[in-house]
Amino acid sequence: MSAAPSHPAAVGDRWLLPVLASVVGCEAATSIGDVCTGSLWDTVVARELFTENELVMAAARHFHIAVADLSRVSAQALELVPERWARHFTVLPLTLENEELLIASGNPCDVDCERALGFAAGRPVRFAMASPTAITRRIDEAYGHAVGDDAAEPRSGTNAEQQVDVQLLAADHESYDAAADVDDDSPSISRLVDELLGAGIAERASDIHIEAEEQGIVVRHRIDGVIRVARRLPRSLSSALASRVKIISGLDIADRLRPQDGRARVAVNGVAVDLRVSTLPATHGEKIVIRVLDGRTAVRTLESIGFAPDELTRIGRLLQAREGLVLVTGPTGSGKTTTLYAALRRLKQRGVNIVTVEDPVEYRLPGIVQVQVRERAGLTFAAALRSIMRQDPDVLLIGEIRDRETAEIAIQASLTGHLVLSTLHTNDAATAVTRLIDIGVAPYKIATAVKGVLAQRLVRRLCAKCHGSEMSVGCKACGGTGYHGRLAIVEVLIATAEFERRVAAGEPAERIAEASRREGMQSLWQSGMSRVHAGETTKAEVTRVAAPDSVPASMTRPAAGVDEEQSLRYLPLRAPTPPRLAERSVSQLSIGTIDVYIIRPLPDGWRVLVLQRALDTRCPMAWEAVHGHIEPGEEPEDAAVREAREEAGLAIARLYSVTVQPFYLHQSHTVQLAVVFAAFVDEPAAVTLGAEHQRAEWLSVDEALERFQWPRERDALREIAHLLRTGDAGPVEDVLRVK
């Protein structure tokens, strides 16, 4: 084997001695250090005492830092560290998370490097461990293909929302030609991207789609909810175009195999417009979708959204509530967020404390505290809500209710004197109840908490300039479509005593909708047809976003300004709703896994073992208890003993079977059971980690509850603490103890 190359930081790698001592012992490590005259790292690898990967893992464990993922290199991080500094210190900038710069380093003790890079970047620096050889190789790839000549010095003022002034399309922009086959006389990629953004924003596009096809690149604009082709470009520009968009939105230009999400900001006529960028690997290259978040048109009043007067009155009644849960439902792009923000503008006039939890925060609202969800940092909807409840809020906005934990906290907040606004993805207002039940919320809680539901769609408004005029339909203002702008159609469900009774009784959505219509709720179809008769839109537009009603005429009330005969005309029958997933039969119920909560019963209180998953496993960096599978023919308690030994190197002194937790596998439509065990171990309880985990900690019960990633883990630990708080199970010891 040839000797490993020497690295600039090699003279200072004596820090490796205590790492080696922790693996081979002090005497052996000292012997290795005595015979080494150069780089200790290179000597150990050259003599095949350890592989580079083994040294990386040992150092990461010793210094309690993560192992670097060198495939995650963002252009934003590269711009903060000049290439010459990266080579001097043998480091590689990886990502910028929570204003902290993550650096891959082969020397976790290089304080000079940490200080220098922190000063240059203007941000705190955190090290992750990697081998010097891998770092050097990756520096060549990252800077050679990402930053080029611009790597000599860090750019000032660089952040995740870089400014691109689309007003200056004719000026000399910085050229960024990442594709070798771009013609010399073609406009620069920078200028082309600015031009595409400027054109899309000028045409009122809510989304700009850039798609690579077999014959070329097609640019599409979604205007007033409908997509149309705006431009076609040569196929040869695909790679350079994608790279430029990634650079301005802070994404990793070297990663073309995984979806990415980022943000950018452009200036249009001197006004900042935020962009949300999403990339998706596809057959002919990456598809890019740019969502235009123009605060000038998004943060509107309820009146300007286009609700009919009677609908606006019913919405106003809902917002008069001082507590309870108000939901806005509809598919993506139906204007839910805009409606919620408009509602907040009205509520703010009361002089109340308003806090929002969103993913992402799309528009900034002055005078309102907005919290951005960060799943990787552990700031989930549920975690943020638990903290916000201690901030004395009057009104809470939750971007979306996605799971049971978030739903439970939202409902609990609504029942304790707070007005909570949120969204759900359902087809109509009554189905929101069904959705909450499917998530796992008890019907009686829904009946008590929910004050109202808005189901919303957006239809295109007839162009005021060309519709009804002597000229033909379609003008420059509407792009020849005959439509300009959009208005909302909505069904507004207001909770009544009958609504509460039917929800608490578990009646289906159809029966809940029936009662709500008797109380004055118009359906989406009726709302839309009233706008047709008012001359604001067309029946084709209403049909595009809403299905005709199937309810008997006796259960409906005609829309405002529409007589009963006209209303009945638009009530054809439709096919019955298919059964919900919860009504399907489950084909299999089986015991699949075990969860083992390992406990040291110390005199000053319990210590619970929590393990952090390695980077190359499922749920990387997540904290969990010992979790594993059951071998064929193996009893669950035997699997618990085996997994505790394999994952933590611990022998169990006492083992208790505490509970069983079900979980659903959507791929196979089966429900599997996880058997939960509590395992007590004797001192010294020295942990030896298996391959699946990179870190272990002994925490108090309260600390472990905060650290665990999954709600079911916290529930299980609370149950264990309740049953075994005295050190045994008391009167049920003979039932729960299995070893």
Side-chain angles (χ1 to χ4, degrees), residues 420-438:
V420 181
L421 284 67
S422 189
T423 69
L424 279 176
H425 287 277
T426 64
N427 290 329
D428 53 42
T431 310
V433 174
T434 304
R435 174 63 178 149
L436 289 174
I437 293 174
D438 288 344

Side-chain angles (χ1 to χ4, degrees), residues 492-526:
V492 186
L493 184 158
I494 297 179
T496 62
E498 181 62 16
F499 167 85
E500 294 179 8
R501 188 191 67 77
R502 296 196 179 197
V503 172
E507 295 195 15
E510 293 79 6
R511 295 273 294 158
I512 297 171
E514 173 189 326
S516 299
R517 289 193 178 105
R518 288 199 177 108
E519 296 289 342
M521 181 186 78
Q522 289 190 113
S523 68
L524 284 168
W525 179 259
Q526 289 176 307

Side-chain angles (χ1 to χ4, degrees), residues 193-501:
V193 170
D194 290 355
E195 184 180 340
L196 295 178
L197 294 175
I201 295 171
E203 292 184 11
R204 303 181 300 108
S206 61
D207 300 88
I208 302 171
H209 294 241
I210 303 174
E211 304 171 13
E213 297 182 343
E214 188 172 1
Q215 302 300 324
I217 303 170
V218 61
V219 180
R220 295 184 173 93
H221 294 165
R222 184 182 292 276
I223 301 174
D224 294 334
V226 177
I227 290 182
R228 62 174 184 244
V229 175
R231 187 170 178 179
R232 295 186 182 274
L233 299 169
R235 180 80 169 83
S236 59
L237 296 176
S238 176
S239 177
L241 196 59
S243 295
R244 179 59 188 171
V245 172
K246 286 182 176 181
I247 283 178
I248 68 172
S249 52
L251 301 181
D252 184 355
I253 65 173
D255 189 352
R256 299 181 178 180
L257 301 179
R258 291 182 296 185
Q260 297 186 64
D261 295 291
R263 297 182 72 98
R265 176 172 290 180
V266 298
V268 182
N269 295 327
V271 178
V273 176
D274 288 314
L275 307 175
R276 204 170 76 205
V277 180
S278 172
T279 68
L280 180 70
T283 305
H284 299 292
E286 289 179 285
K287 174 176 178 175
I288 298 171
V289 176
I290 303 171
R291 169 68 59 88
V292 179
L293 306 173
D294 190 347
R296 295 171 299 177
T297 59
V299 184
R300 305 160 64 182
T301 63
L302 287 169
E303 290 76 11
S304 66
I305 291 176
F307 294 115
D310 58 328
E311 296 165 350
L312 199 57
T313 299
R314 290 174 64 84
I315 295 172
R317 284 177 55 192
L318 283 180
L319 296 181
Q320 289 173 5
R322 293 303 191 265
E323 60 184 33
L325 178 62
V326 176
L327 297 170
V328 181
T329 76
T332 301
S334 59
K336 299 188 298 295
T337 301
T338 302
T339 297
L340 285 175
Y341 281 3
L344 291 184
R345 287 191 62 177
R346 177 173 291 191
L347 291 170
K348 194 172 67 168
Q349 297 172 3
R350 295 184 192 170
V352 293
N353 180 20
I354 302 176
V355 183
T356 76
V357 186
E358 305 170 67
D359 184 20
V361 174
E362 294 191 352
Y363 305 102
R364 274 67 175 181
L365 301 175
I368 293 175
V369 177
Q370 296 174 271
V371 179
Q372 167 73 56
V373 168
R374 301 183 186 277
E375 297 278 353
R376 290 187 177 180
L379 186 60
T380 62
F381 276 108
L385 285 172
R386 282 194 296 271
S387 298
I388 287 171
M389 294 304 294
R390 297 189 287 270
Q391 294 284 316
D392 186 32
D394 299 299
V395 179
L396 285 171
L397 185 147
I398 305 170
E400 182 183 350
I401 293 179
R402 300 177 179 175
D403 52 43
R404 177 178 178 179
E405 186 179 14
T406 305
E408 290 282 4
I409 297 175
I411 286 182
Q412 186 63 32
S414 70
L415 295 175
T416 53
H418 304 85
L419 179 60
V420 181
L421 284 67
S422 189
T423 69
L424 279 176
H425 287 277
T426 64
N427 290 329
D428 53 42
T431 310
V433 174
T434 304
R435 174 63 178 149
L436 289 174
I437 293 174
D438 288 344
I439 288 176
V441 182
Y444 74 89
K445 289 185 177 180
I446 301 172
T448 307
V450 173
K451 300 304 179 186
V453 184
L454 282 70
Q456 180 173 312
R457 301 290 189 277
L458 295 177
V459 295
R460 291 184 293 175
R461 189 192 298 267
L462 289 170
C463 178
K465 290 192 175 181
C466 62
H467 181 71
S469 64
E470 296 181 357
M471 71 179 73
S472 59
V473 174
C475 62
K476 183 177 180 180
C478 63
T481 64
Y483 299 97
H484 189 280
R486 288 189 287 179
L487 53 87
I489 62 173
V490 66
E491 57 182 26
V492 186
L493 184 158
I494 297 179
T496 62
E498 181 62 16
F499 167 85
E500 294 179 8
R501 188 191 67 77

